[in-house]
Amino acid sequence: LLESDQLNRLMGCRVLVKAENLQRTASFKFRGACNAALSAKDSSVIVAFSSGNHAQAVACACSLFDKTAYIVMPSDAPKTKIELTKAFGAN
């Protein structure tokens, strides 16, 4: 959690910011993907369909837990999302 004295003064109370952009994949989706990867104890493969943040999160989580990620992405998915997902180790 992050705190800013300036923001606290502006709001008149203590404000704590949960900075999801500081997650490994810059998205809150990483927590759910890690949970899924850890819950799939009897599987070495995880398959997901996503055109963005969830795809990257699943790929990253699988790489951390020695699982194979197969990500199905729509044909119109942004090229940057496809490249980042592959960079995290997805097939």
Side-chain angles (χ1 to χ4, degrees), residues 17-39:
V17 177
K18 188 175 182 184
E20 296 290 359
N21 61 317
L22 298 179
Q23 294 278 353
R24 285 180 189 253
T25 60
S27 164
F28 71 93
K29 304 282 185 175
F30 182 66
R31 286 181 281 124
C34 280
N35 187 47
L38 288 170
S39 296

Side-chain angles (χ1 to χ4, degrees), residues 5-6 8 42 47 58 60-61 76:
D5 291 336
Q6 185 177 5
N8 288 348
D42 297 331
V47 179
V58 169
C60 183
D76 64 345

Side-chain angles (χ1 to χ4, degrees), residues 12-73:
C13 63
R14 186 175 186 207
V15 178
L16 297 174
V17 177
K18 188 175 182 184
E20 296 290 359
N21 61 317
L22 298 179
Q23 294 278 353
R24 285 180 189 253
T25 60
S27 164
F28 71 93
K29 304 282 185 175
F30 182 66
R31 286 181 281 124
C34 280
N35 187 47
L38 288 170
S39 296
K41 294 176 185 169
D42 297 331
S43 178
S44 62
V45 175
I46 294 181
V47 179
F49 181 89
S50 171
S51 61
N53 293 341
H54 180 66
Q56 294 166 30
V58 169
C60 183
C62 284
S63 70
L64 291 174
F65 300 113
D66 199 31
K67 295 182 183 286
T68 301
Y70 287 102
I71 308 298
V72 179
M73 301 181 92

